[in-house]
Amino acid sequence: MSLEVKGCRELQSEVIARDLCTLCGACVGMCPYLVAYRGRIVALDECNLAQGRCYAFCPRTSLDLDLLSQTVFGVPYAADELGTVQEIVIARARDEGIRSKAQFGGTVTALASFALDQGLIDSAVLTASDEDMLPSGTAAANAAQILGCAGSNFAAAPTLAAFNRHSAGDAQSIGVVAIPCQALALANMRASPLENRNNIDKLKLVIGLFCTWALRYEGLARFLAQKVPLNRIVRFDIPPPPANLFQVFTDSTRIDIPLDDVRPFIRPACDVCIDMTAEFADISVGAAEGVRGWNTLIIRSHAGRELVEAARAKGIIETAPLPEQNLAHLKEASLLKKKRGLRKVIETSGSEDDLLYLKLTSEAVKGLLS
Amino acid sequence: MTSITAYEPGASQLLMGNEAIARGALEAGVGFASAYPGTPSSEIIGSLAEVAGEMGIYVEWSVNEKVALEAAAAASFAGVRAIVAMKQNGLNVASDFLMTLNLTGTVAGLVLVLCDDPAALSSTNEQDSRPIAKWADLPLLEPATFQEAKDMTKWAFELSEEIKNVCLIRSVTRVSHARGDVRLGEPMPPGRQARFASTTVGQFTSMFVPVKHSLLHQKLNKTREIFESSPFNWYAGPEKPELLIVTCGSGWYYSLEAVKTLGLESSVGILKLGTTWPLPEKLVQQHLARTDKVLVVEEVDPFLEGNLKELVGDTFSALGPLTFYGKRSGHLPSFGELDPDRVMGAVSSVLGRERAAVDPEYAKKAQALTGGLVQARMIGFCAGCPHRATLWSVKNALKLDGRGGFVTGDIGCYTMGLGPTGFFQLKTTQAMGSGAGLACGFGKLGRLGFSQPVLAVCGDSTFFHAAIPALINGVYNQSNFTLIILDNSATAMTGFQPHPGTGASAVGEPAPKVDLEALCGSLGIRVEVADPFDLQDTTPKLLDLMQDDRGVRVLISRRKCALVRAREEKAAYKVRVDSEKCRGESCGCARLCTRVFQCPGLVWDSESQTAKIDEVICSGCGVCADICPASAIIREVA
Amino acid sequence: MEGKDPLNVIVTGVGGQGNVLISQLMGRALVRAGYHVTIGETYGASQRGGPVMSHLRVSRQSQYGPLIPQGQADVVLGLEPVETLRVLGQYGNPGVTAITNSRPVYPLAVAIGTAHYPSVEEIVKALEELSIRAWLINATDVAIEMGAPILANIIMVGALVGAGVLPLAAEEFELELRESLPADRLDLNLKAFRRGLAEAKAR
């Protein structure tokens, strides 16, 4: 597959119709044609352009990972377990209020608020859920709004639609909290060869989130509605293995659902994903397995390093070395996702020479699959 | 323009075919006229409505064709001459009543005018109505000229009273919607006292059907005798023509022109028949005996052709061998319209003559010079049409819903919603009311695996005409669909005739206004009202109705027809395009307004690469301002 | 054109230009002058941007059918230039007179940018080569100057009558205007008709 930029029609036939859409939202919010509606990207009318930003930005159309890595980090794509890494630590917010509200260590909330506070960004685009737990992107301009977005939803959200809309406005420096496919799309925006750009130059910070998969909202909502009215749900959680549970919290109760009951709602686009750790973010954050109340924090870019160091110096977060066996486990998990994703890609296309949306050398493929 | 009642003895006046028919009725002293509008029939009752007060007659737009015929039959039963007009599809609605009215017969003259639309210029089918005459054993007259349109109508009342039954007149678009000079007679006021009296037992009932059927045949035989000497039938041509053209209605002028243009006056004769059922058999046989080659020229089906052959079959020994040419032989099409060129082609072909229709040199030059310059003018919704706005919301709601929902369509301006200016939303269009009727069926397929949302659309006039029974059926049988009533407060397609929802009568007087919301609401179903120009309100409302997914729901999408608004009120907005903001063809718009929304008030200026407003065409509805992704279309309160 | 029987005139334009009205006015005036007249109208979709064509057939001897055979038009009166070309292509012949308004009414395909409208040069060239006499008249511009673009139709009738191709004197048409139009619209229409006559005289 070449790096040719095509248009909306091809986005629909090559990505959406083939169930490769991650619902990142990168194609939404720039034109009147594509909208996100309850977990789907919908084309309201046919756009007849041969080339479009929708196609160029999509993380499931031809991805030149080397080009993206050069654009974001100035180095070629690592093609290893974790991508470009400067340092890996465990971290948590110092503020207990944040920690109690957030999943795990509250690092994301603390760093995003800090970036706002420091004027590194003037607003942050994050994901929030409505009363029916339908997630969507939202722009936050203060710490309280950021804290309101804390916690995981697990249903895929078109967060980048909010980035596209928000960046078209008065905001000048924007941070985005992104799952891996969204971080990829943001890198795609930076690397886009199209003359007609969005306002990607306003993007100053990407905080990536580890992600193994995301769920289809419609399916999940229909399933959950049989158990509890959606508007009573406050948050979801997936406790660390071996629990194998999907937990649904209301104000007063917790409903434990076997994780296998929820798996059917995993978006097929996640099956072909090879990025667990948001390799194209400035920093990536996930749960630190086995270290309760802490996050794993991967510092990838210069900007990421500066932010983490300043936050550490000002006492916003605290960090500690990542235990050796945790690092090994993280790499193993990430590699496992890459292997699964690649195998699914090859199974779908029927050939090692056709990686659907990925552009990787055959050495890289061999290396990852070995 | 002067009215159809003007009269100056001996003078001629230019009349539309439909006006000539109306005038004929006035000259016959008609007292009652009713119809449901339908192209090409509407002007018959429409022009009578204009003079109803002056002439002291009663004229109504009925709710549908069946009721129109029933109402007119009542007038006939009460001794008042009555006329009913309908297009071919309307006859199908009225035929249930007609097929027993023929048995009971009539009292005062009752004339039913059927206006067919060959080539379906303004119809959903191309039905030839004439077989109903044979089916119902009723006399059929076919005017060929405007003079005949008037004179036949006048005489049809006489005939109807003589045989005490309905008399049918069949017109076509090229008679009804053409104009010609007509010598006028004197209009007569009705001058009869209306009174109903059943003089024999069961006279107006379905008692003694076989007896009445037999009586009907006697009436038909009597009619045939009368037709033998009708002045509406004549022969022109040589004593022994090489070819005899038998023609009726619109075929007469085309045949005449063909013979003249081809210079065949000495070898081709024309038998022109004005009374085509029952055939005046003696007259016809006498003329068939002149020749051995017969070409039948008629629109649309080979009705006359078949009846002639039937007659020849009965009298074969007397006539000798005859070769028939026409639709069965393939010399003329049994679909679409006839025209002088087609008839010339048929005559030339039968006689084996060469004929170049147009100077071939000129045709070649014309093709070379104009071929690339002349584009088709596609029809579509007018600027500011509420249907475009409603269907925009329908399209978006169906796309967002994503379950493969679709629209069953109906008959009216909004039928054009099957094309680009309605975003190809209508997937079916058959008969009046059948959008809702089809939806009833689709909406019951759930247990057979069907899961698509169903939307039916119909206009306000169509709702009253035939959608109400379908709606009630849906409620009673617990079907699952949403009916969208496109209430533009007019019967717009046929010329803005009033209807039960408009609050005005046919003659322009105030009339009770039937309340759509109350009527639908009385069925105990969910009824919503939306302003289609408010896209932000209409789309979610539609989505919500669609996803309600149980039972029948109604959305009344209410906004006056743009053409009516243009007459009655000032434009709401002055609309302009900020060309600085217009994104044109670039990514982020790709000409949504001119390419997709396609309002004729919006023009793509390829020079400046921006959209523009055509101020002469723009109706100032302002809807386009809401779809522009760049807020480049600006509407200011006018 | 004097003496041609029947005289075949096609009035062509787009829905809303007042084609049917002027055909009727001419037809009524000709009936008053003792002619047999037939007008065939094709206007199924006239209010919705479709082409509208009236076939006017004028004869001393008898009434003719409502449709003119192909290649048999004697005069084409166009309210819209491309519609005039369309009619010439089907009904024209080397002896036809073509008098047309110069102002385009864009078809939807042109308005929405999927088709191009021909240039004035292309139109003039085609008109001249396909007729024995071709007049292009800025009737809409004159009408706008007079205060109402719709008057273009009456101006065009003025040009037609002024060209002497109809067996109809200017006074006879003016009489028809007086008979048919309401008083408040008469003066402007008479003025428009005379502007058309003047256009013809200037040629």
Side-chain angles (χ1 to χ4, degrees):
Chain A
M1 185 167 275
S2 76
L3 277 185
E4 185 190 358
V5 176
K6 301 180 197 166
C8 185
R9 284 183 288 227
E10 290 82 4
L11 183 80
Q12 290 174 70
S13 61
E14 293 176 12
V15 179
I16 297 173
R18 291 160 83 180
D19 247 349
L20 291 176
C21 172
T22 66
L23 199 75
C24 69
C27 58
V28 175
M30 298 175 291
C31 76
Y33 299 95
L34 293 170
V35 296
Y37 180 75
R38 298 177 76 78
R40 286 167 26 243
I41 299 297
V42 178
L44 292 175
D45 289 289
E46 192 187 305
C47 170
N48 66 344
L49 296 182
Q51 292 196 317
R53 291 173 293 180
C54 54
Y55 190 93
F57 297 169
C58 175
R60 287 291 182 270
T61 59
S62 44
L63 272 188
D64 185 338
L65 295 170
D66 259 334
L67 174 70
L68 297 186
S69 185
Q70 287 287 2
T71 307
V72 176
F73 304 116
V75 296
Y77 180 61
D80 58 9
E81 299 92 337
L82 299 176
T84 302
V85 174
Q86 293 201 11
E87 191 187 349
I88 306 183
V89 294
I90 58 171
R92 65 175 186 179
R94 296 282 295 268
D95 182 333
E96 286 197 16
I98 293 179
R99 284 218 303 273
S100 70
K101 191 94 202 280
Q103 211 104 11
F104 315 115
T107 309
V108 172
T109 304
L111 286 177
S113 302
F114 179 65
L116 258 184
D117 210 39
Q118 295 293 294
L120 175 63
I121 55 175
D122 59 26
S123 49
V125 171
L126 311 99
T127 304
S129 306
D130 75 0
E131 66 269 27
D132 286 340
M133 294 306 282
L134 173 69
S136 62
T138 183
N142 59 50
Q145 288 170 343
I146 290 177
L147 191 60
C149 297
S152 302
N153 184 300
F154 298 105
T159 309
L160 297 187
F163 171 77
N164 284 331
R165 277 190 284 264
H166 182 61
S167 62
D170 294 335
Q172 292 305 316
S173 48
I174 303 169
V176 179
V177 176
I179 61 172
C181 51
Q182 294 167 345
L184 265 171
L186 288 168
N188 256 346
M189 291 180 190
R190 285 173 162 168
S192 167
L194 292 182
E195 236 174 81
N196 188 346
R197 309 283 300 259
N198 60 348
N199 297 286
I200 190 63
D201 296 341
K202 294 180 177 179
L203 180 68
K204 300 299 177 199
L205 177 68
V206 179
I207 301 179
L209 302 174
F210 291 6
C211 175
T212 40
W213 41 249
L215 300 171
R216 283 184 287 117
Y217 175 79
E218 288 267 78
L220 178 69
R222 249 198 309 275
F223 173 75
L224 292 178
Q226 294 164 4
K227 303 182 182 298
V228 57
L230 293 178
N231 58 10
R232 287 193 48 215
I233 299 173
V234 194
R235 66 183 180 94
F236 303 128
D237 195 11
I238 297 178
N244 214 27
L245 285 177
F246 185 82
Q247 296 179 326
V248 178
F249 294 85
T250 68
D251 279 338
S252 50
T253 58
R254 192 186 82 198
I255 303 166
D256 285 352
I257 296 166
L259 198 53
D260 287 342
D261 288 359
V262 175
R263 285 188 188 278
F265 308 123
I266 295 174
R267 293 183 74 86
C270 301
D271 295 340
V272 295
C273 176
I274 61 164
D275 185 356
M276 188 187 90
T277 60
E279 293 175 32
F280 292 89
D282 293 303
I283 55 172
S284 301
V285 183
E289 278 179 37
V291 197
R292 246 193 126 66
W294 286 74
N295 290 108
T296 302
L297 170 61
I298 304 176
I299 301 162
R300 300 184 183 277
S301 73
H302 181 67
R305 170 169 290 286
E306 282 192 341
L307 174 70
V308 171
E309 274 172 9
R312 204 156 32 194
K314 299 248 169 161
I316 300 298
I317 60 168
E318 56 186 312
T319 64
L322 179 72
E324 203 53 44
Q325 86 240 31
N326 286 42
L327 178 62
H329 188 240
L330 177 64
K331 284 185 172 178
E332 192 190 328
S334 179
L335 189 61
L336 186 64
K337 175 156 182 179
K338 283 185 201 286
K339 281 186 206 287
R340 277 202 199 121
L342 263 182
R343 286 200 195 102
K344 185 71 185 177
V345 164
I346 292 162
E347 182 196 316
T348 307
S349 77
S351 156
E352 275 192 42
D353 301 326
D354 178 2
L355 299 181
L356 300 179
Y357 70 101
L358 291 166
K359 192 188 172 213
L360 285 173
T361 59
S362 51
E363 293 77 57
V365 174
K366 281 204 182 77
L368 288 169
L369 287 179
S370 68
Chain B
M1 298 280 156
T2 42
S3 92
I4 58 160
T5 56
Y7 176 55
E8 190 186 328
S12 289
Q13 195 175 325
L14 188 72
L15 289 184
M16 180 190 238
N18 280 343
E19 291 171 344
I21 291 168
R23 174 65 180 229
L26 289 176
E27 290 180 11
V30 75
F32 192 106
S34 52
Y36 181 83
T39 311
S41 72
S42 310
E43 296 81 4
I44 297 171
I45 299 311
S47 58
L48 288 172
E50 282 173 24
V51 300
E54 179 189 341
M55 293 301 295
I57 62 176
Y58 174 76
V59 183
E60 77 171 33
W61 288 119
S62 310
V63 76
N64 65 34
E65 292 85 353
K66 180 167 176 275
V67 176
L69 183 58
E70 288 157 349
S76 164
F77 292 172
V80 174
R81 286 187 167 185
I83 188 167
V84 189
M86 55 191 65
K87 71 181 295 176
Q88 77 275 7
N89 313 75
L91 169 65
N92 305 333
V93 178
S95 62
D96 191 12
F97 180 69
L98 182 66
M99 293 306 288
T100 48
L101 177 64
N102 61 346
L103 291 178
T104 60
T106 54
V107 177
L110 178 57
V111 175
L112 170 55
V113 187
L114 307 171
C115 297
D116 285 356
D117 184 15
L121 301 169
S122 197
S123 301
T124 50
N125 75 3
E126 198 182 36
Q127 171 184 318
D128 189 327
S129 295
R130 295 175 298 169
I132 193 82
K134 207 170 168 179
W135 202 28
D137 295 317
L138 291 173
L140 176 70
L141 305 178
E142 291 191 66
T145 70
F146 311 98
Q147 188 70 46
E148 272 194 350
K150 178 186 82 68
D151 294 345
M152 266 185 184
T153 306
K154 184 178 177 188
W155 184 68
F157 285 93
E158 306 288 332
L159 177 65
S160 170
E161 280 177 14
E162 189 153 354
I163 62 163
K164 296 277 176 244
N165 218 335
V166 184
C167 184
L168 305 176
I169 294 179
R170 189 259 193 163
S171 178
V172 292
T173 305
R174 297 300 173 193
V175 174
S176 279
H177 272 190
R179 290 166 206 274
D181 49 300
V182 177
R183 282 181 321 281
L184 302 177
E186 195 173 352
M188 302 289 287
R192 297 191 194 188
Q193 175 87 36
R195 183 178 161 72
F196 176 73
S198 180
T199 51
T200 56
V201 173
Q203 184 182 359
F204 300 108
T205 73
S206 49
M207 207 184 267
F208 316 123
V209 166
V211 175
K212 283 178 173 158
H213 197 178
S214 156
L215 185 67
L216 179 59
H217 291 160
Q218 287 172 33
K219 288 178 177 181
L220 200 68
N221 288 337
K222 185 173 175 190
T223 306
R224 185 178 290 111
E225 278 309 309
I226 296 170
F227 282 179
E228 290 289 355
S229 58
S230 165
F232 300 121
N233 305 322
W234 71 77
Y235 174 77
E239 191 52 38
K240 290 280 172 196
E242 188 185 342
L243 172 71
L244 175 71
I245 296 177
V246 184
T247 187
C248 58
S250 53
W252 154 248
Y253 272 134
Y254 303 148
S255 302
L256 196 64
E257 182 127 25
V259 171
K260 261 192 200 173
T261 308
L262 296 169
L264 296 171
E265 287 98 331
S266 59
S267 52
V268 178
I270 306 177
L271 174 62
K272 182 253 170 218
L273 293 177
T275 67
T276 47
W277 187 258
L279 278 178
E281 292 178 357
K282 289 185 207 117
L283 175 97
V284 170
Q285 282 174 46
Q286 173 202 328
H287 291 292
L288 289 179
R290 292 173 185 278
T291 187
D292 55 5
K293 281 199 188 91
V294 179
L295 170 67
V296 188
V297 179
E298 61 187 318
E299 281 180 324
V300 177
D301 292 338
F303 174 73
L304 178 58
E305 186 178 331
N307 293 337
L308 287 172
K309 286 174 178 172
E310 207 175 285
L311 176 61
V312 169
D314 285 342
T315 55
F316 189 72
S317 53
L319 282 170
L322 272 175
T323 309
F324 275 90
Y325 301 92
K327 297 181 190 277
R328 298 265 300 163
S329 70
H331 287 80
L332 287 167
S334 49
F335 56 87
E337 271 200 302
L338 289 185
D339 59 35
D341 293 288
R342 288 205 173 91
V343 178
M344 274 184 246
V347 173
S348 310
S349 160
V350 169
L351 296 178
R353 314 261 162 119
E354 286 285 321
R355 186 189 83 94
V358 183
D359 176 356
E361 277 298 303
Y362 184 89
K364 224 168 103 186
K365 196 161 82 173
Q367 175 56 32
L369 283 165
T370 66
L373 307 185
V374 178
Q375 299 98 16
R377 280 190 196 267
M378 292 281 293
I379 62 164
F381 293 131
C382 304
C385 177
H387 300 327
R388 178 187 288 99
T390 303
L391 290 171
W392 184 264
S393 287
V394 165
K395 163 187 71 75
N396 285 352
L398 283 170
K399 283 276 170 68
L400 292 175
D401 177 79
R403 290 177 290 161
F406 58 94
V407 180
T408 58
D410 222 299
I411 309 303
C413 281
Y414 50 91
T415 307
M416 287 188 290
L418 55 81
T421 61
F423 323 111
F424 305 100
Q425 289 303 294
L426 270 57
K427 301 302 183 197
T428 70
T429 54
Q430 277 86 14
M432 296 285 284
S434 62
L438 283 169
C440 282
F442 281 122
K444 286 308 291 182
L445 295 176
R447 70 173 64 177
L448 299 164
F450 185 88
S451 61
Q452 297 155 278
V454 180
L455 300 177
V457 297
C458 73
D460 40 353
S461 189
T462 306
F463 177 75
F464 293 117
H465 179 289
I468 291 175
L471 178 66
I472 293 173
N473 183 69
V475 172
Y476 167 59
N477 287 306
Q478 299 165 69
S479 187
N480 175 11
F481 66 89
T482 305
L483 173 66
I484 306 171
I485 303 175
L486 303 162
D487 180 5
N488 65 353
S489 310
T491 318
M493 193 77 174
T494 51
F496 315 104
Q497 293 83 3
H499 64 65
T502 60
S505 77
V507 297
E509 283 163 3
K513 188 170 173 170
V514 176
D515 183 335
L516 280 179
E517 291 94 310
L519 183 64
C520 298
S522 74
L523 300 175
I525 56 176
R526 181 175 167 200
V527 179
E528 301 273 356
V529 182
D531 172 2
F533 285 1
D534 187 348
L535 303 174
Q536 268 69 32
D537 177 58
T538 305
T539 310
K541 221 171 231 172
L542 259 169
L543 249 178
D544 191 51
L545 281 162
M546 211 185 294
Q547 296 180 347
D548 204 351
D549 232 14
R550 267 189 311 270
V552 177
R553 295 83 74 192
V554 171
L555 177 72
I556 300 167
S557 184
R558 178 171 292 144
R559 194 41 104 132
K560 246 185 223 171
C561 167
L563 299 176
V564 174
R565 293 202 312 274
R567 275 186 222 161
E568 293 179 354
E569 53 202 65
K570 240 180 71 185
Y573 298 104
K574 175 138 182 60
V575 184
R576 63 184 172 87
V577 175
D578 181 341
S579 53
E580 291 293 305
K581 283 189 181 169
C582 175
R583 291 178 187 163
E585 302 210 87
S586 63
C587 179
C589 182
R591 303 204 290 104
L592 182 77
C593 66
T594 53
R595 190 179 60 86
V596 184
F597 192 62
Q598 293 199 6
C599 174
L602 287 158
V603 179
W604 173 245
D605 181 2
S606 52
E607 227 159 85
S608 68
Q609 290 285 299
T610 60
K612 292 243 158 83
I613 299 288
D614 184 326
E615 288 182 16
V616 177
I617 295 172
C618 175
S619 75
C621 73
V623 174
C624 55
D626 282 327
I627 66 151
C628 176
S631 306
I633 302 180
I634 315 232
R635 58 176 179 219
E636 285 148 352
V637 175
Chain C
M1 225 53 54
E2 198 64 38
K4 168 81 167 55
D5 200 309
L7 181 71
N8 293 329
V9 182
I10 297 184
V11 182
T12 186
V14 179
Q17 289 193 303
N19 172 329
V20 172
L21 175 74
I22 56 171
S23 305
Q24 270 188 65
L25 288 171
M26 288 191 280
R28 291 167 61 89
L30 286 159
V31 169
R32 195 192 305 277
Y35 288 89
H36 290 289
V37 174
T38 312
I39 307 175
E41 290 157 359
T42 306
Y43 65 97
S46 61
Q47 277 155 339
R48 295 158 191 99
V52 182
M53 184 168 60
S54 300
H55 288 195
L56 215 83
R57 313 196 72 182
V58 187
S59 170
R60 266 290 170 209
Q61 280 116 43
S62 62
Q63 204 172 46
Y64 276 76
L67 296 177
I68 294 171
Q70 296 191 1
Q72 299 292 315
D74 300 306
V75 184
V76 178
L77 181 69
L79 301 178
E80 203 281 344
V82 161
E83 288 313 309
T84 307
L85 293 185
R86 187 196 306 277
V87 167
L88 284 177
Q90 199 177 353
Y91 296 95
N93 56 71
V96 70
T97 292
I99 302 180
T100 186
N101 184 8
S102 60
R103 169 68 71 106
V105 176
Y106 295 128
L108 192 56
V110 171
I112 68 177
T114 56
H116 286 286
Y117 197 88
S119 68
V120 179
E121 293 73 34
E122 287 173 303
I123 290 168
V124 169
K125 180 172 187 288
L127 278 177
E128 285 181 347
E129 292 202 22
L130 292 175
S131 62
I132 197 162
R133 172 160 53 159
W135 287 359
L136 200 65
I137 292 175
N138 300 328
T140 302
D141 297 336
V142 174
I144 289 172
E145 183 191 306
M146 294 180 67
I150 186 69
L151 289 172
N153 62 349
I154 299 289
I155 295 171
M156 292 305 295
V157 177
L160 180 72
V161 170
V165 288
L166 280 188
L168 198 63
E171 303 73 50
E172 289 174 302
F173 189 79
E174 290 193 4
L175 175 66
E176 185 54 47
L177 284 178
R178 287 178 215 284
E179 291 279 328
S180 290
L181 296 184
D184 60 327
R185 280 166 48 200
L186 181 62
D187 274 355
L188 201 55
N189 277 280
L190 278 174
K191 231 172 93 190
F193 178 67
R194 286 170 193 163
R195 282 296 293 267
L197 286 175
E199 284 287 335
K201 205 158 276 170
R203 308 264 156 173

